[in-house]
């Protein structure tokens, strides 16, 4: 059966929030003797279908890792290309989708102040066009988990003027509007979290697939969901048999 015709798995409220580390664009391009930028373009193209599948299954929050605070170390050519791709994607795909579909929302998480001014303004425009919607996609751009925790702790400290609680800190996380991810999927085969949702992912199940991001399709979603439901989430406790 063709990948996009496979029936989607049934899920329940245990799988409400998913984080995705979209890795492998460069290798996908290299295998085809294409520039890395072609891998990123191919990676952007599949996002819509993946979100649509996850939403149809009943997931309400998806967080995509698009650009980390460490990704600035890449060549200027690649970084500039990614910034341009994010701008075009938000402008051409996301704004239109937000206007035509009132149950779909987008938030940009990360340090927007470090982005090129044009992209920063586009991120704000997208968030203003969005709002609290039934399905939320968080796009992490210039995002780093350690920076986020530090930023949130400082903001909470300033607010409280003294010792802070877990709840104070969580109110200041970029993702305060979304529940912690139940599942984090990483494509491209590396067994690392790479500074993604460090606080929020403390108890997330991790599913790593060797599939490169531009090839990620329904068969991979099915495997990730099966893997998730094969685990017993104990949150550090013990489940009585
Ligand atoms: C990691 O693959 C991917 C990125 C750093 C960029 C992610 C961007 C996209 C999926 C495209 C656009 C996204 C949006 C939100 C429009 P890599 O380059 O590290 O791959 P490699 O490990 O094979 O080199």
């Amino acid at each position: 059966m063709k990948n996009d015709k496979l029936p989607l798995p049934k899920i329940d409220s245990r799988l409400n929030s998913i984080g995705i580390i979209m890795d492998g664009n460069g290798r996908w391009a290299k295998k085809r003797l294409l520039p890395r930028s072609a891998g990123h373009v191919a990676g952007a193209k599949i996002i819509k279908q993946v979100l649509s599948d996850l939403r149809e299954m009943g997931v309400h929050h998806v967080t995509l890792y698009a650009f980390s605070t460490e990704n600035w170390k890449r060549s200027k050519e690649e970084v500039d290309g990614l910034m341009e791709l994010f701008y075009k994607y938000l402008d051409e795909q996301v704004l239109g989708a937000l206007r035509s579909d009132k149950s779909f929302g987008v938030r940009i998480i990360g340090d927007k102040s470090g982005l090129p001014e044009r992209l920063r303004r586009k991120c704000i425009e997208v968030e203003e066009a969005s709002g609290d919607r039934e399905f939320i996609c968080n796009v992490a751009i210039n995002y780093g988990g350690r920076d986020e925790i530090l930023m949130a702790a400082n903001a909470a400290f300033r607010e409280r003027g003294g010792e802070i609680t877990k709840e104070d800190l969580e109110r200041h996380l970029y993702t305060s509007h979304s529940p912690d991810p139940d599942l984090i999927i990483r494509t491209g085969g590396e067994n690392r979290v790479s500074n993604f949702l460090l606080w929020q992912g403390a108890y997330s199940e991790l599913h790593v697939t060797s599939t490169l991001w531009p090839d990620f399709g329904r068969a991979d979603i099915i495997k990730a969901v099966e893997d998730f439901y094969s685990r017993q989430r104990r949150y550090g406790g013990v489940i009585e048999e």
Side-chain angles (χ1 to χ4, degrees), residues 22-27 36 40 44 47 66 71 74 86 89 213:
M22 308 181 289
D23 197 12
N25 295 348
R27 279 165 282 165
R36 293 178 62 82
H40 297 315
I47 290 177
N71 285 150
R74 296 185 176 208
F86 297 146
Y89 193 81
W213 174 250

Side-chain angles (χ1 to χ4, degrees), residues 207-228:
H207 173 82
V208 177
T209 169
S210 58
T211 299
L212 304 175
W213 174 250
D215 292 327
F216 188 82
R218 268 199 192 181
D220 301 289
I221 293 178
I222 294 167
K223 273 195 216 134
V225 170
E226 282 173 359
D227 192 14
F228 175 79

